[in-house]
Amino acid sequence: MKRVITLQDISCVGKCSLTAAIPVLSCLGMETSVLPTALLSTHTAFESFITYDLSDKIKDISAQLKKNNMRFDAIYTGYLGSTEQIEEISWFIDEFREQDTLVVIDPAMADDGILYSGLPRDFVIYMRPLIKKADVIIPNLTEACLLLGKDYREPGDFSGEEIAGMLHKLSDMGPERVVITGIHFSDDSMGAMSYDRTCDKVSSAVNTKHNGRYLGTGDIFSSVVTGCLMDGQTIGEASKHAVDFVNRCIEETEGDPDKRWYGVDFESCLGELREYI
Ligand code: PXL
């Protein structure tokens, strides 16, 4: 069984980051190890929350993992809550990466043109050197614009050619495979576009467009991509599975508008992930 370690926060309530990544990766047949980077009472979209930053624990925990000769087939990072944390994670990658380790970075920091609440304005300056270390990155359209220093516009204003150009430029920054999520293909369809530099191929993954923001779907998307890549799939296949799975999770949640910001009801769809591997 392949062992993935995922480094991201955990919220006591609210479905995102580790509480989404663990079940998804486990269902995709991965042994899922974790290194929690922060403990929150709820995710940051709730009105009031408290965060315990665990950045200063990363080196101590890593030292114990090393003593036990722990090795990982993949290192997958998600939401990171501070610039110090980015530096710790960068150190972790250098420490644990081996020749065949897949490094997947979801530069989770923004959505709908704005940075997540609580993150410093210069966060992207620290994120750029981190993505250099990745084999795969999975930004949404807002994060892709931030990484490229490009002005954000509404998703419908980007053409397929422009997104393809952005995929190439992001790959030039380091990662061999890039997925941009939250692409609008038409008034009623959306999905992701991906690029694989090893075969110079751009692929599109399309499904139904749903209105509104559903929190945590980016974390589910990246977890499905990571699991499917570890299963030996191409970035195009992995992205298609992630687009389809997120679409199913949104369908399950759509009936209850309060759930959008709480986190999608992925639980009732988890079994469907088995069809992807
Ligand atoms: O889904 C991204 C995410 C992860 N972790 C925390 C968040 C968010 C988005 O708001 O608040 C704590």
Side-chain angles (χ1 to χ4, degrees), residues 148 150 164-174 178 195:
L148 293 170
K150 193 177 164 74
M166 291 168 71
L167 288 165
H168 280 84
K169 283 193 187 130
L170 286 166
S171 179
D172 289 344
M173 292 167 78
V178 179
Y195 174 62

Side-chain angles (χ1 to χ4, degrees), residues 8-11 15-17 40 42-45 79 108 116-117 213 215-219:
Q8 43 189 322
D9 61 280
I10 188 155
S11 290
K15 297 184 273 185
C16 63
S17 288
L40 292 90
T42 60
H43 62 58
T44 61
Y79 175 93
Y116 286 144
S117 145
R213 179 177 170 222
L215 200 135
T217 48
D219 307 333

Side-chain angles (χ1 to χ4, degrees), residues 164-165 167-169 171-172 175-178 194-203 234-236:
L167 288 165
H168 280 84
K169 283 193 187 130
S171 179
D172 289 344
E176 143 189 300
R177 283 164 280 176
V178 179
S194 60
Y195 174 62
D196 185 337
R197 194 172 62 217
T198 60
C199 53
D200 195 26
K201 188 174 174 200
V202 173
S203 310
T234 65
I235 195 73

